[in-house]
Amino acid sequence: MARPELGVCYYPEHWEQSRWEEDARQMVGAGLTWVRIGEFTWGLTELGRNRFDWAWLDSALDVLGDAGLKVMFSTPTAVPPNWLVREFPEILPVDRAGRTRTSGSRRHYCLSSEKYVEEAKRITKEYVGRYGKHRAVQAWQIDNEIGDHDTAISYSAAALSGFRRWLQGRYTDIDTLNRSWNTKFWGGRFGDFDEIQLPVGSVTAPSPALELEFMRYSSGRVARFIGMQSGIIRKHSPGRPVIHNFMAGSYDFDHRRAAAHLDIAGFDSYPLGNLIEGHLSIDEKASWLRIGAPDYQGFHCDMYRELGQCGMWVVEQQPGPVNWASYNPAPVDGAVRLWTWMAYAHGADTVLYFRWRQVPFGQEQFHSALCHYDGTPDRARHEIAKVATERVRIPPTSRSRAKIALVVDYESRWAQRIHPHGLEYSGEFIAADWYRCCRELGNDVDIVGPETELLCYRLVLVPDMVISRDGFVSRLLDSQAQVVLGARCGSFDSLMQSPPGGAPGAFRRLIDVTVRRVESLPPWHREAVEFGDREYSVTGWREHVESDEPVMARFSGGFRDGAPAVLANVRTTYLAITPRGECLRRVLVDAMTRAGLPVTPAPEGIRVTFRRNIGFAFNFSGSPGMVPERPSQRFLIGARRVEPAGLSIWIEEDP
Ligand code: GAL
């Protein structure tokens, strides 16, 4: 079969039953093979406790299956029905301000509520028991975007008692906890586990160790919830892959631990919505308003590709304007095709669009779809039709491992939030900058975790791993790769205390640097750094380090002239700054060169990537660009000249 496969998210419950057959027929006609249904249907199938109305869903499934579509069924736990909330109001989540979040929209449940988990288990069994062996059901999605609308963490009474129990299991006695957390500070000693509070509502910052442990506890609840549902699916619907649709920019729980219960990691791709809400400059947002940031799709696909045991899908792809960002522009013609091919290029096997038909009521009334309100095709349908015809020209291939690994560590992200030390410091944005720089320099990147095997990499980038970990450093040492460590790496141990000897903790086994002082700098203050023959301007973060290792760049002029800014020994580079733009490029070019990697920048706005010997180029700029010439390059789609919002795909037959 030619790939990628295409599909769509469908809500039969929104439409007259008489329309379903026509919708299904059109989906098949549009080249779609997958349809996702069911994630918000609990309140429509169970009308009151154990009072079920399955008839409509049975028919919908039959209609879709009869049309030849493969159904990805979702468990419906993302929206507890109103009657359930009335029966057990304690299942509702509580926000940071201590307010109970009410029902009336979606995701109004607390993962610490054993009552909710029990109810979720019950309804999952009902759904999977009923539809698990239906011929049309070929995959399962668990819940929907867990963590969306800030729901991974809840400060409910159930969370408090769950957290206390969890701590008791972990530390056994309160003295051990007091010692481990160093509760001497501000006299915070606990006499008993029942004196522990959630890290919310305190007069000022609570204990950092407590905060980090609460994140671990909350993250564990997500993994447990996903594990519970996937266990039921595997038992009652064997052979169908289990998927969850993760979100862009979501770090509230450890996605790797959650994904350990899945077969396929899904990602919901909203390039324009996320651009508007993202961290790029106004000028960058303006240039990419209708096409999205050039590295958005690649970054997230690369990240979620590593999480799936058997693949990665884009479960929701933006088809036109969304309704939920601060501004909701329409994509330029060609963008939906480009995003689809880019997802495939970065490892997605299947792309589903969100949603089939724009709905004339409800909270997402102004969210575009593949069809207008009246069911006639909207713009994206034409682009998808094009992809559907193009895909047969591309021989199926998998993606090979990149030579560069970029490490993303969820616990480090939590630690940064607990001790940001500077308003603008964001590991998420720093990692995104480093990724972008590698891609601009023509290199593919795998996004890996602290437990990933690193032997196959030539260059490992560690932009923001603030928690020091011996095991990870041992793997780095075994790998022989060049390593680049960002500022703040190794600042904390696993309980938010400074590691012995201070930062960079265990990373000192790679480079003999000691961080004596850290400072954060406001964006309106810049300092000069001399790197070889050039001077760069930096801001954000500055470290005062002691080291006998070779210095690559120094602060120049002003405060502590000559102090080291970048150090590097034969294997490892350490940054005492958080460089961006040209300065970051300089650091990474240097590291790539040491690692023996090519530095082949593509023309501005063009991104090139590979699935083995199949090359892909995407043009995010406003003017035509040329694909770099490659040996034995034969174009399958497009040509060397790529139009704005266009793409080319080629094969290198004799690599
Ligand atoms: C996603 C969500 C969908 C829909 C979509 C709108 O975050 O999973 O259910 O709300 O956004 O863009």
Side-chain angles (χ1 to χ4, degrees):
M1 171 166 340
R3 293 203 287 184
E5 283 202 63
L6 306 177
V8 72
C9 306
Y10 185 48
Y11 299 89
E13 63 270 30
H14 295 167
W15 310 104
E16 293 297 324
Q17 199 156 338
S18 53
R19 173 72 195 191
W20 295 347
E21 245 175 65
E22 173 60 14
D23 281 345
R25 194 187 62 73
Q26 283 194 29
M27 287 174 200
V28 173
L32 308 179
T33 49
W34 281 95
V35 58
R36 180 191 74 171
I37 59 168
E39 72 273 21
F40 304 127
T41 56
W42 188 352
L44 306 176
T45 54
E46 192 177 20
L47 306 180
R49 177 164 298 283
N50 287 322
R51 197 155 54 78
F52 289 100
D53 174 11
W54 294 113
W56 69 271
L57 197 47
D58 292 352
S59 314
L61 195 53
D62 288 342
V63 167
L64 297 169
D66 289 347
L69 290 158
K70 295 183 275 190
V71 174
M72 171 154 78
F73 217 113
S74 299
T75 65
T77 50
V79 190
N82 292 326
W83 60 261
L84 182 67
V85 178
R86 185 157 73 172
E87 196 176 334
F88 300 115
E90 68 270 27
I91 68 172
L92 291 171
V94 175
D95 70 11
R96 273 200 82 83
R99 283 179 308 229
T100 299
R101 304 178 79 180
T102 60
S103 54
S105 60
R106 60 180 177 180
R107 303 213 51 74
H108 40 269
Y109 66 82
C110 168
L111 281 157
S112 285
S113 162
E114 290 301 344
K115 180 46 80 184
Y116 187 65
V117 173
E118 194 185 300
E119 289 291 322
K121 192 169 180 178
R122 184 180 64 77
I123 196 66
T124 300
K125 279 187 178 161
E126 291 286 352
Y127 269 64
V128 182
R130 188 168 187 91
Y131 298 120
K133 302 208 169 77
H134 191 288
R135 71 195 146 79
V137 176
Q138 306 274 323
W140 283 93
Q141 175 179 302
I142 289 176
D143 202 284
N144 188 74
E145 288 192 346
I146 294 192
D148 192 15
H149 316 303
D150 292 327
T151 52
I153 299 153
S154 160
Y155 301 89
S156 65
L160 177 58
S161 52
F163 183 44
R164 286 175 176 165
R165 269 198 311 279
W166 182 83
L167 289 172
Q168 193 146 19
R170 204 162 155 86
Y171 292 91
T172 317
D173 63 89
I174 199 71
D175 288 341
T176 309
L177 180 144
N178 279 316
R179 251 192 329 275
S180 313
W181 291 9
N182 251 317
T183 54
K184 293 185 209 76
F185 197 76
W186 286 349
R189 181 186 162 275
F190 299 106
D192 194 87
F193 284 94
D194 285 341
E195 291 174 7
I196 293 171
Q197 298 299 328
L198 295 180
V200 65
S202 49
V203 170
T204 184
S207 150
L210 180 145
E211 283 204 74
L212 186 62
E213 287 288 65
F214 184 60
M215 290 303 293
R216 290 195 178 109
Y217 159 79
S218 303
S219 173
R221 298 299 300 189
V222 174
R224 186 170 168 266
F225 191 68
I226 290 185
M228 175 274 283
Q229 295 205 24
S230 82
I232 295 171
I233 295 166
R234 290 185 200 295
K235 185 157 173 212
H236 299 287
S237 187
R240 279 98 173 158
V242 183
I243 302 176
H244 178 67
N245 54 336
F246 295 110
M247 293 181 295
S250 155
Y251 298 97
D252 281 355
F253 62 93
D254 187 333
H255 289 45
R256 288 194 186 88
R257 300 220 185 285
H261 299 285
L262 304 172
D263 299 305
I264 295 173
F267 153 59
D268 290 350
S269 167
Y270 290 94
L272 303 192
N274 289 140
L275 174 91
I276 297 286
E277 301 304 328
H279 76 287
L280 296 171
S281 69
I282 297 292
D283 286 348
E284 288 169 320
K285 288 185 186 184
S287 358
W288 298 320
L289 185 81
R290 295 188 186 279
I291 193 160
D295 297 301
Y296 170 88
Q297 193 80 326
F299 181 92
H300 292 98
C301 288
D302 289 350
M303 176 142 119
Y304 289 117
R305 187 180 68 237
E306 288 296 311
L307 265 61
Q309 328 287 315
C310 330
M312 186 269 293
W313 289 16
V314 171
V315 174
E316 298 180 10
Q317 179 65 64
Q318 176 168 359
V322 298
N323 66 302
W324 45 261
S326 324
Y327 307 96
N328 298 292
V332 64
D333 291 348
V336 176
R337 168 176 173 254
L338 178 145
W339 296 330
T340 306
W341 275 117
M342 199 165 192
Y344 177 70
H346 282 267
D349 304 311
T350 298
V351 177
L352 283 83
Y353 303 90
F354 183 89
R355 60 178 67 219
W356 174 247
R357 183 166 165 190
Q358 188 162 353
V359 65
F361 49 80
Q363 289 87 328
E364 294 181 343
Q365 199 171 347
F366 295 105
H367 195 295
S368 63
L370 299 191
C371 303
H372 295 291
Y373 294 120
D374 62 4
T376 56
D378 199 349
R379 167 75 212 175
R381 282 274 288 277
H382 305 299
E383 297 188 22
I384 293 165
K386 190 160 184 193
V387 176
T389 57
E390 286 170 339
R391 64 189 177 154
V392 291
R393 289 189 241 156
I394 311 300
T397 40
S398 53
R399 217 178 133 96
S400 358
R401 293 233 144 243
K403 296 276 180 286
I404 301 179
L406 182 139
V407 184
V408 169
D409 172 33
Y410 288 91
E411 294 206 349
S412 287
R413 295 284 160 84
W414 307 336
Q416 294 157 17
R417 283 189 211 163
I418 294 166
H419 265 318
H421 199 70
L423 186 62
E424 269 84 21
Y425 180 88
S426 161
E428 179 185 346
F429 301 159
I430 290 171
D433 277 352
W434 288 35
Y435 174 91
R436 168 179 171 180
C437 190
C438 292
R439 299 289 303 115
E440 285 173 346
L441 293 168
N443 278 302
D444 275 326
V445 178
D446 289 345
I447 299 183
V448 304
E451 276 147 33
T452 308
E453 187 47 71
L454 300 170
L455 290 175
C456 59
Y457 295 108
R458 300 256 278 277
L459 175 60
V460 179
L461 304 177
V462 192
D464 66 312
M465 195 184 207
V466 299
I467 294 185
S468 165
R469 284 198 180 82
D470 266 320
F472 174 68
V473 176
S474 301
R475 267 194 300 286
L476 279 176
L477 283 165
D478 292 345
S479 76
Q480 307 298 319
Q482 280 286 319
V483 178
V484 182
L485 301 171
R488 301 200 77 185
C489 275
S491 301
F492 305 109
D493 70 6
S494 61
L495 285 171
M496 296 298 295
Q497 301 176 31
S498 299
F507 290 112
R508 206 173 287 111
R509 289 163 61 201
L510 290 164
I511 183 161
D512 189 15
V513 167
T514 301
V515 178
R516 287 297 183 200
R517 172 184 279 181
V518 296
E519 29 169 2
S520 55
L521 302 169
W524 35 263
H525 169 83
R526 302 195 70 88
E527 309 221 321
V529 164
E530 221 173 74
F531 202 139
D533 51 354
R534 265 197 69 179
E535 197 171 88
Y536 300 89
S537 152
V538 298
T539 188
W541 194 266
R542 173 168 177 174
E543 291 180 347
H544 299 241
V545 299
E546 280 177 11
S547 177
D548 288 331
E549 301 279 13
V551 177
M552 313 298 294
R554 294 181 185 277
F555 289 94
S556 85
F559 186 60
R560 307 261 155 86
D561 178 39
V566 179
L567 302 104
N569 62 22
V570 280
R571 285 231 17 219
T572 305
T573 304
Y574 185 88
L575 309 184
I577 50 177
T578 46
R580 298 197 67 190
E582 284 301 309
C583 187
L584 176 62
R585 187 177 259 246
R586 174 71 184 253
V587 169
L588 293 184
V589 166
D590 194 70
M592 285 172 193
T593 310
R594 286 156 177 265
L597 293 170
V599 176
T600 46
E604 194 163 336
I606 302 248
R607 290 293 182 274
V608 174
T609 192
F610 286 88
R611 275 182 90 124
R612 293 198 188 273
N613 63 334
I614 310 286
F616 300 79
F618 303 94
N619 189 354
F620 285 82
S621 79
S623 41
M626 296 300 278
V627 173
E629 209 166 340
R630 307 263 314 173
S632 61
Q633 184 177 37
R634 181 166 67 82
F635 283 90
L636 304 168
I637 291 174
R640 276 200 66 209
R641 182 187 151 106
V642 193
E643 297 304 319
L647 58 100
S648 298
I649 306 180
W650 66 91
I651 187 164
E652 294 179 13
E653 281 169 314
D654 190 17

